[in-house]
Amino acid sequence: MRKPKLVSFVLLLLALTFAQPTTLAQRKSPKAKTTNTAATASARGADQITAAQLKDYLSFIASDEMEGRDTPSRGLDTTARFLAMNLSRWGLKPAGDDGYFQRITLVRNQLDAPATHAEINGQRFNFGEDFLPNAVGATLEGPLVYVGHGWVIKSKDIDAYKGIDVKDKIVVVFGEGLPKGVSQADLKGTRGEDWANPAMYAQRHGAKGVLAIPDFSMLLNWDRTRQRATTRGTTVVEKFQTQTNPAMPSVWLSLRMATALFQGEKFEATNLLNRGILGEAVEPFELSAGKKVGFTIAVKTEKIPTQNVVAIFEGSDPVLKSEYVALGAHYDHVGIGVPLNGDAIYNGADDDGSGTTALLAMAEALAHAKTRPKRSVLFVWHAGEEKGLWGSRYFTEYPTIPLDRIVTQLNIDMIGRSKKEGDTNPRNRDLAGANQIYVIGSKMMSTELGELTDTVNKTYLNLEYNYRYDDPADPNRFFFRSDHYNYARKGIPIVFFFDGVHEDYHRPGDSPDKIDYPKMEKITRTIYMTLWEVANRPLRPKVDKQLPAELTNR
């Protein structure tokens, strides 16, 4: 009876002995893969990007001393010099047209208040109190025509000008916003052809200018607009100004002045105001031919310099180093504004101090990495994003390197804030969580780039990539609202990383102390590893899709 038991025991022991290596190998396999990923990330310098480092840089970039980094401003210029100083220390190659700087000339038009005035039938009206013009020098005289809200939107079958010729006339509209029942999502197709706002339509059809009866929003912002008109004026990029038609003179009227303008007409100003508020249509009509209306808008002009900051980390491959993976962030914000709780400096720590800092940390990591990527890495800190994507438009229209050599552009705009547990603030409703980031555009032009972006994340730190806004029909229009847009319209596949709008968006509360630095570290490291994967691929990501038609016109 004992012998069979002994044989069975020996056979069982042998089976376990031979099975053990396979079992251990199976257990070690995931760990080995993780170790290999960690070793690769370390060799590439990813572990040099730390929360403490990011906090140090951002605390300077978004400090009160930078005065909100408006474009143009002293604070923006100081930030540019800070970026350039560090890039020089780390040995990155200057790639602007003036060292690390790509110079941009701005033209600032500022109203000359004492020389700006208006009259209606001999009654004089004062700038600031009675009317607020934009900073476009002009003398406005001539016949007037009222056209309601003044919009043309073909997708909604809206045309405020049916049967009306506005050539050589002054157009009068109600308010400045979209017509009632219309949203930004309804502005489909080509700007100026499929839809046009009052000033755009008036300009294209030969009108002399636009006068606006004030709605509630205009009255609410009257004092702020008057202050900006007299202290900041209107600033444009000089080269953009010469590419388009001159701006259209547009004037907000006070209720007092609007009342005088419509005195004796078929509709009084208050009647038009009430109808406008209710969204009731009023057929266009010309004002009395005998009414004498004249505006003199005087403007002072000056030229001001600003800059993009541009640098290259050269790749290691003799052939591929002539191609670039582009990293972008805007280093400007909105400057000094209306005080809230006694604070007038809009620091822009998240928007986009976080992206600015992430790029800086990645430049430092590359400089100290044990190996180099095969392709070169192009860093561009864009100015003037908050003014209408100025810096990225300028770089893509006047590039300092051949634009067709850029294989991908990774744009970082707001990656530092996270929604806390139990946060019920409705303004934080769409803010990304502590392990989450919104990813936009990665799959819109290149299937391959979308798959690569996903794979790098899942095999590295495994953040939650939220594709909620990766939608051509996104009513927020986030695809249009940051610098990647200007690269995409040039046919360059892009990825946009974004944490969502929050309670301090464009407010003084967007300060460095509210940043989630551990989250920012994870996102920055993940983007950094993404650039490496793109840089080391034998072929550039294939563009196999056209940019959706609704995303081709801003």
Side-chain angles (χ1 to χ4, degrees):
M1 296 286 297
R2 293 178 60 128
K3 190 174 181 180
K5 290 184 179 179
L6 179 60
V7 172
S8 298
F9 176 78
V10 171
L11 290 173
L12 178 61
L13 184 61
L14 288 171
L16 289 173
T17 302
F18 284 110
Q20 190 175 27
T22 305
T23 306
L24 288 175
Q26 289 171 346
R27 289 177 181 171
K28 287 184 177 180
S29 181
K31 186 177 287 186
K33 186 176 180 181
T34 303
T35 303
N36 184 52
T37 302
T40 302
S42 179
R44 293 175 174 179
D47 55 0
Q48 296 188 47
I49 298 170
T50 67
Q53 168 207 36
L54 296 168
K55 184 176 182 180
D56 282 345
Y57 290 146
L58 185 54
S59 295
F60 177 84
I61 289 166
S63 64
D64 282 355
E65 287 76 9
M66 297 306 105
E67 299 172 334
R69 308 185 311 279
D70 194 12
T71 304
S73 71
R74 176 178 58 183
L76 189 74
D77 294 344
T78 301
T79 304
R81 288 193 292 272
F82 174 74
L83 295 171
M85 175 192 71
N86 283 296
L87 295 168
S88 178
R89 287 174 53 223
W90 301 328
L92 274 76
K93 180 181 176 182
D97 49 34
D98 180 14
Y100 291 104
F101 302 140
Q102 181 186 30
R103 297 296 184 181
I104 303 171
T105 300
L106 306 177
V107 176
R108 174 179 286 165
N109 296 313
Q110 197 166 345
L111 286 165
D112 183 354
T116 298
H117 53 83
E119 290 187 0
I120 299 177
N121 290 339
Q123 182 181 357
R124 191 177 178 93
F125 293 88
N126 299 319
F127 163 78
E129 180 183 351
D130 295 314
F131 69 97
L132 292 174
N134 60 350
V136 178
T139 299
L140 292 181
E141 294 179 339
L144 300 98
V145 56
Y146 179 76
V147 294
H149 52 65
W151 283 79
V152 172
I153 306 171
K154 290 184 179 179
S155 69
K156 302 286 284 186
D157 195 27
I158 291 173
D159 183 355
Y161 304 89
K162 288 179 179 177
I164 290 290
D165 181 7
V166 300
K167 184 175 173 57
D168 295 326
K169 297 174 184 175
I170 301 171
V171 173
V172 186
V173 301
F174 167 76
E176 64 167 358
L178 286 165
K180 190 172 183 179
V182 175
S183 70
Q184 287 286 336
D186 295 315
L187 305 184
K188 300 173 181 177
T190 303
R191 185 174 183 260
E193 295 178 11
D194 296 303
W195 63 271
N197 62 31
M200 189 187 307
Y201 184 93
Q203 182 186 57
R204 289 188 170 220
H205 291 80
K208 292 183 175 181
V210 177
L211 309 182
I213 300 172
D215 58 15
F216 178 75
S217 175
M218 292 165 69
L219 293 174
L220 190 66
N221 289 291
W222 189 276
D223 289 338
R224 180 186 300 183
T225 304
R226 173 170 50 191
Q227 180 189 26
R228 291 178 69 90
T230 53
T231 58
R232 296 190 183 185
T234 301
T235 306
V236 295
V237 176
E238 183 179 39
K239 286 191 175 181
F240 299 167
Q241 188 179 41
T242 59
Q243 292 174 0
T244 57
N245 295 324
M248 173 63 54
S250 299
V251 185
W252 287 8
L253 306 180
S254 67
L255 286 177
R256 173 174 174 264
M257 193 169 183
T259 299
L261 181 67
F262 282 92
Q263 187 175 1
E265 302 294 340
K266 62 187 293 187
F267 290 102
E268 298 292 330
T270 52
N271 192 326
L272 292 172
L273 177 63
N274 290 334
R275 287 170 176 261
I277 292 171
L278 294 172
E280 295 180 2
V282 175
E283 290 294 319
F285 66 91
E286 297 201 19
L287 277 69
S288 303
K291 186 164 291 183
K292 294 184 178 180
V293 176
F295 288 84
T296 298
I297 305 170
V299 171
K300 298 178 287 186
T301 300
E302 62 176 327
K303 292 187 177 182
I304 306 169
T306 191
Q307 62 284 308
N308 289 329
V309 182
V310 191
I312 290 171
F313 185 82
E314 195 167 74
S316 61
D317 186 275
V319 176
L320 292 180
K321 71 178 182 180
S322 66
E323 295 182 343
Y324 303 88
V325 181
L327 295 175
H330 71 91
Y331 73 108
D332 69 311
H333 193 52
V334 298
I336 298 173
V338 176
L340 291 174
N341 300 319
D343 187 1
I345 298 177
Y346 292 56
N347 301 98
D350 191 29
D351 183 17
D352 184 27
S354 61
T356 299
T357 300
L359 259 62
L360 193 63
M362 286 190 271
E364 184 175 15
L366 282 171
H368 295 101
K370 297 173 185 176
T371 184
R372 301 173 76 90
K374 293 179 179 180
R375 286 185 176 83
S376 298
V377 183
L378 173 70
F379 290 85
V380 187
W381 286 266
H382 303 105
E385 188 267 1
E386 300 288 2
K387 299 298 177 67
L389 313 188
W390 285 352
S392 55
R393 178 182 167 190
Y394 196 91
F395 185 83
T396 54
E397 292 190 11
Y398 306 99
T400 58
I401 55 102
L403 211 61
D404 61 0
R405 299 288 180 86
I406 299 177
V407 304
T408 295
Q409 199 263 355
L410 306 177
N411 182 43
I412 310 173
D413 190 353
M414 300 172 63
I415 59 166
R417 292 287 285 265
S418 62
K419 187 174 182 179
K420 295 179 173 60
E421 285 285 336
D423 186 348
T424 58
N425 187 333
R427 299 188 61 163
N428 292 332
R429 181 186 65 242
D430 300 321
L431 182 58
N435 197 53
Q436 182 187 60
I437 193 73
Y438 294 110
V439 179
I440 302 173
S442 66
K443 304 172 183 179
M444 282 187 182
M445 301 171 70
S446 171
T447 303
E448 184 181 348
L449 180 59
E451 291 172 351
L452 179 150
T453 304
D454 268 344
T455 301
V456 171
N457 176 53
K458 288 174 181 175
T459 57
Y460 184 43
L461 298 179
N462 199 26
L463 296 161
E464 181 188 340
Y465 276 7
N466 188 321
Y467 292 95
R468 170 182 177 181
Y469 300 122
D470 195 30
D471 178 1
D474 169 29
N476 301 282
R477 294 169 62 84
F478 285 130
F479 189 85
F480 295 94
R481 291 169 57 180
S482 194
D483 292 310
H484 60 276
Y485 170 75
N486 281 315
Y487 291 83
R489 72 187 183 94
K490 294 290 186 178
I492 299 167
I494 63 91
V495 188
F496 171 31
F497 298 90
F498 170 60
D499 62 24
V501 175
H502 49 73
E503 62 185 318
D504 294 313
Y505 176 69
H506 283 193
R507 289 174 169 237
D510 186 5
S511 52
D513 59 298
K514 295 181 180 178
I515 296 296
D516 183 345
Y517 291 100
K519 171 181 177 174
M520 191 173 160
E521 174 191 293
K522 288 186 288 187
I523 295 169
T524 305
R525 287 186 177 190
T526 302
I527 299 170
Y528 181 75
M529 291 297 285
T530 303
L531 88 83
W532 268 91
E533 290 302 317
V534 177
N536 283 349
R537 288 218 161 187
L539 299 175
R540 63 197 295 164
K542 182 181 179 182
V543 177
D544 57 0
K545 305 175 189 176
Q546 292 291 324
L547 195 64
E550 55 267 57
L551 298 180
T552 56
N553 286 284
R554 192 167 179 266

